[in-house]
Amino acid sequence: MSRLSIISTDKVDSTTEKLMKEFTQRIIANPPGVCPVDMQLAFLKVCHAQTCGKCGPCRIGLGILEELLESVLNNTATMETLELIEHTATNIKNSADCAIGFESARMVLAGFEGFKEDYISHVRDHQCTGTFEQPIPCVTLCPANVDIPGYIALAGEGRCGDAVRLIRKDNPFPTACALICEHPCEARCRRNMIDDSINIRGIKHYVMDKARADAVAVPVCGAPTGRKVAVIGGGPAGLTAAYFLQLMGHQTTVFEEKAQLGGMLRYGIPNYRFPRERLQEDIDAILSTGVEVKLNANVGTKELGEINQAYDAVFIAIGAHAEKKLNLEGEDSGNVISAVEMLREIGDGRYPDFSEKRVLVVGGGNVAMDCARTAIRSNAKTVSIVYRRRKEDMTALPAEVEGAIAEGIELLTLKAPLRVEADENGNAKALWVQPQMIGPVRGGRPSPKKAAKQEERLECDVILMAVGQDIISGPFEKAGIATRRGQLLADASGALNRVGMYAGGDCVSGPATVIKAIAAGKAAAANIDEFLGCHHEISVDVEIPEPLLNDKIPCGRVNLGEKESWARRDNFEGIEYTMSDEEALQEASRCLRCDRHGCGVLRGGRKDRW
């Protein structure tokens, strides 16, 4: 081969690699609301382009599938066409020689099943069921539908107070989300097509450090309606509902079982991630609307009946505060502590002392990371996390896992707990585990299975069980409220099977994220308002800056820094640094302003009802 041909081949390969990388970026930035059939056809064409052409099912079959999908989009398909799509894809999946063929066909079958209503709509009604009303990726993927491009633009102009007001139109916990939100809004940011997603949470962190929540006045409440609403539970869902209902003019009272408000924001998230004084900023702003609070209020079946009689509507947002158990032999031994119990104590300022203790944490989620990193800060001699899957299968945020490792916490993966061994005093002294090996994918993650290895004994002094949370629904079941698998059974509007009673947050969905609880509280407030015969609008009179006309050239993303591991692992002070003015300005300027450009224009301004 000549030198010229080698150079030419290298150039083609490098160009192809670059184009594939850019294509991958476009897939990542695929916005919500697109036609699923059109998207599936595009993916199928990419797969077909990869075929080697040696086997008929792949070379010919995928081409036939393309033609069938195109007929659906061209409004020439019939119901028989849909049967042929399924039949053809099944044959290819069962007969193709390599993964290109059978995985492409499997993908078509999975989409055909998942998008079946859309396929039928194309054939019968000649229209797509997808919606293009608000496909701004960040806004659509935020459960609370916060106007993200708007507050980023305000931050870019240094108008942080106005940014807080705009955020509060949809989310009264701007500080909480600035520090601990899992930022689903960044997942399909269109900036990914150029370089990397906007650091949306980082910009919000900057905003909240510049304009603290309790220093920015809340909107003036509407005229009193004479209606009273009770909110049972003072966590993010309950306080969100109370905030918006109070703004609408309905006098709202929050009944909280514990000594302080905040729910899992206070009793489930350690101070180093979310300092308590920052939580209080959000709570004080919410209470400044006139929301009444009754602490240490244990609402049982009797009390629920009394509240239902005294108030025009009730919103139940009790969260998920009970610990789950693995039902292991010896699980009731001394020094076996549930994550919920430990974090609850910390929420009231009672920190454990694990001096010279060897601590094992069982679990692989964010709560397990919180427990492990709390144990390190409580002077534990060693801390290890025991998890039955692999590191990459953990449900915890990658940043949380890496942060734990940096602080000296060891991951013991592919080890399934079997039983707890106790000493003569009944205290745990070892955890026996069964080694696992990773197996087939089920539910989106590879499942572990028992490996042909001997059981292992892990010596310890303390075991922290972080394997999930349950809902205390018993008193509500006794009051006649329908439940399913321990969760309160609410319809799409949050309404329960008792007139005037609604529920939302973790007690309905199961343990979820803070922003999802906030979204549930926001939706409940709107639905309760309708139930009370009103139709209030929540608006904000903030002028959003026009988009900058700067060139959108590739630019690196500004990430937030953290304290060095040695400086943070022995205290509970906040560990994350905020952006500088210079960094925030640059990061805000990277926003493509999808609210003003392209098909994702916000319609109706910033004053619409939710």
Side-chain angles (χ1 to χ4, degrees):
M1 184 181 291
S2 68
R3 181 173 179 274
L4 183 61
S5 64
I6 293 173
I7 292 173
S8 177
T9 301
D10 289 345
K11 183 178 180 181
V12 169
D13 288 344
S14 62
T15 302
T16 301
E17 185 176 349
K18 179 175 180 291
L19 290 174
M20 289 302 295
K21 181 179 179 182
E22 291 177 357
F23 181 71
T24 302
Q25 289 176 306
R26 293 192 71 87
I27 293 175
I28 292 172
N30 178 52
V34 299
C35 171
V37 180
D38 204 357
M39 178 192 69
Q40 190 163 34
L41 175 59
F43 287 166
L44 181 58
K45 287 183 176 181
V46 172
C47 296
H48 193 197
Q50 296 175 333
T51 179
C52 68
K54 291 181 180 179
C55 80
C58 190
R59 183 185 73 251
I60 301 172
L62 294 183
I64 293 173
L65 273 179
E66 286 180 24
E67 293 174 0
L68 292 172
L69 264 64
E70 284 173 346
S71 71
V72 173
L73 293 172
N74 294 335
N75 298 329
T76 58
T78 64
M79 294 303 292
E80 288 72 25
T81 307
L82 301 188
E83 294 179 8
L84 188 56
I85 289 173
E86 188 171 19
H87 181 70
T88 304
T90 301
N91 284 341
I92 297 171
K93 183 174 77 75
N94 294 335
S95 60
D97 290 341
C98 74
I100 292 174
F102 60 71
E103 279 299 301
S104 300
R106 184 199 58 78
M107 182 188 72
V108 170
L109 288 169
F112 183 78
E113 182 62 31
F115 310 141
K116 203 155 195 175
E117 289 183 2
D118 200 87
Y119 276 92
I120 293 172
S121 177
H122 274 284
V123 172
R124 287 184 177 172
D125 306 321
H126 303 312
Q127 66 180 20
C128 179
T129 58
T131 173
F132 289 85
E133 291 181 359
Q134 176 135 285
I136 303 172
C138 57
V139 177
T140 306
L141 291 175
C142 172
N145 293 126
V146 174
D147 184 355
I148 293 166
Y151 79 70
I152 287 178
L154 291 166
E157 289 198 350
R159 295 166 56 191
C160 292
D162 283 342
V164 174
R165 294 184 184 94
L166 184 61
I167 295 168
R168 273 200 193 132
K169 174 183 176 293
D170 301 285
N171 175 6
F173 281 97
T175 314
C177 288
L179 272 68
I180 60 167
C181 184
E182 294 188 326
H183 46 81
C185 51
E186 296 181 19
R188 285 192 246 166
C189 173
R190 285 182 185 153
R191 185 74 198 198
N192 277 307
M193 290 189 285
I194 300 176
D195 38 52
D196 200 357
S197 61
I198 307 296
N199 191 341
I200 296 172
R201 187 182 69 81
I203 292 175
K204 187 181 289 182
H205 191 163
Y206 168 81
V207 165
M208 300 315 302
D209 280 357
K210 288 288 184 178
R212 304 216 164 189
D214 55 355
V216 178
V218 299
V220 176
C221 294
T225 63
R227 300 302 186 96
K228 298 193 301 178
V229 181
V231 173
I232 300 173
L239 288 176
T240 296
Y243 171 79
F244 286 119
L245 287 165
Q246 195 71 34
L247 290 183
M248 293 170 182
H250 310 305
Q251 182 56 54
T252 307
T253 303
V254 175
F255 294 82
E256 169 54 44
E257 177 189 24
K258 297 181 177 61
Q260 300 182 77
L261 294 171
M264 292 305 285
L265 289 173
R266 182 182 300 276
Y267 294 100
I269 299 173
N271 196 78
Y272 69 85
R273 283 185 61 206
F274 190 16
R276 295 293 175 264
E277 63 272 15
R278 303 307 308 270
L279 168 61
Q280 200 59 44
E281 292 168 15
D282 280 345
I283 293 176
D284 287 345
I286 291 170
L287 297 185
S288 70
T289 62
V291 173
E292 296 179 356
V293 176
K294 295 187 178 182
L295 299 173
N296 300 306
N298 188 7
V299 177
T301 305
K302 176 185 175 183
E303 290 80 7
L304 182 63
E306 294 171 352
I307 290 172
N308 195 28
Q309 290 286 329
Y311 290 84
D312 298 296
V314 179
F315 177 57
I316 301 172
I318 56 173
H321 291 263
E323 66 268 18
K324 269 189 176 177
K325 293 194 173 185
L326 292 178
N327 296 318
L328 302 178
E329 178 187 340
E331 193 172 6
D332 294 328
S333 302
N335 291 335
V336 178
I337 306 168
S338 78
V340 173
E341 178 186 341
M342 186 181 78
L343 294 174
R344 183 189 301 135
E345 291 292 304
I346 291 173
D348 283 328
R350 295 185 290 271
Y351 290 85
D353 182 8
F354 293 145
S355 297
E356 297 304 309
K357 303 285 188 183
R358 296 164 298 176
V359 178
L360 293 180
V361 179
V362 178
N366 285 324
V367 174
M369 300 304 137
D370 288 343
C371 285
R373 299 176 77 176
T374 294
I376 276 287
R377 287 163 171 76
S378 300
N379 305 315
K381 182 179 180 180
T382 64
V383 179
S384 300
I385 295 173
V386 180
Y387 186 54
R388 65 193 184 102
R389 287 185 166 96
R390 304 170 301 175
K391 173 186 171 184
E392 52 266 43
D393 302 321
M394 286 182 161
T395 57
L397 289 173
E400 288 295 310
V401 178
E402 296 305 322
I405 293 172
E407 292 169 4
I409 295 164
E410 185 178 10
L411 301 185
L412 303 178
T413 57
L414 291 172
K415 299 183 188 300
L418 287 177
R419 61 186 177 278
V420 176
E421 179 185 341
D423 61 18
E424 61 277 6
N425 297 317
N427 294 321
K429 68 174 183 179
L431 176 68
W432 285 86
V433 297
Q434 172 62 55
Q436 305 286 292
M437 66 176 288
I438 209 63
V441 174
R442 294 192 184 95
R445 284 193 299 169
S447 298
K449 60 182 180 180
K450 182 178 178 180
K453 297 179 181 178
Q454 290 186 339
E455 297 175 1
E456 296 178 9
R457 182 178 183 271
L458 306 177
E459 292 189 5
C460 62
D461 301 300
V462 175
I463 300 175
L464 301 177
M465 305 297 289
V467 293
Q469 297 145 244
D470 271 333
I471 299 154
I472 304 174
S473 58
F476 302 94
E477 288 180 10
K478 292 178 181 177
I481 293 174
T483 63
R484 180 171 57 197
R485 297 178 183 174
Q487 299 173 6
L488 304 190
L489 189 58
D491 65 16
S493 70
L496 296 168
N497 61 326
R498 296 275 300 273
V499 176
M501 299 189 76
Y502 293 75
D506 289 358
C507 66
V508 172
S509 66
T513 60
V514 171
I515 188 62
K516 287 183 178 179
I518 291 168
K522 172 185 168 183
N527 290 322
I528 290 172
D529 184 55
E530 295 281 351
F531 169 76
L532 296 176
C534 304
H535 190 78
H536 289 96
E537 291 186 359
I538 299 296
S539 63
V540 58
D541 294 320
V542 173
E543 185 178 349
I544 308 299
E546 289 299 315
L548 299 174
L549 299 179
N550 56 324
D551 293 333
K552 301 301 181 182
I553 59 175
C555 178
R557 167 185 161 119
V558 174
N559 291 319
L560 300 186
E562 292 185 344
K563 291 181 181 178
E564 298 158 282
S565 58
W566 64 265
R568 70 189 193 221
R569 68 193 301 272
D570 63 351
N571 61 77
F572 284 89
E573 296 175 5
I575 66 174
E576 191 174 61
Y577 296 121
T578 191
M579 293 181 186
S580 65
D581 293 339
E582 180 184 28
E583 289 172 328
L585 176 61
Q586 176 177 297
E587 193 63 13
S589 71
R590 293 177 64 234
C591 180
L592 299 177
R593 290 302 302 273
C594 299
D595 59 328
R596 297 292 175 90
H597 296 307
C599 65
V601 175
L602 270 174
R603 300 182 181 183
R606 267 79 178 177
K607 298 183 181 182
D608 292 346
R609 181 163 174 85
W610 303 318

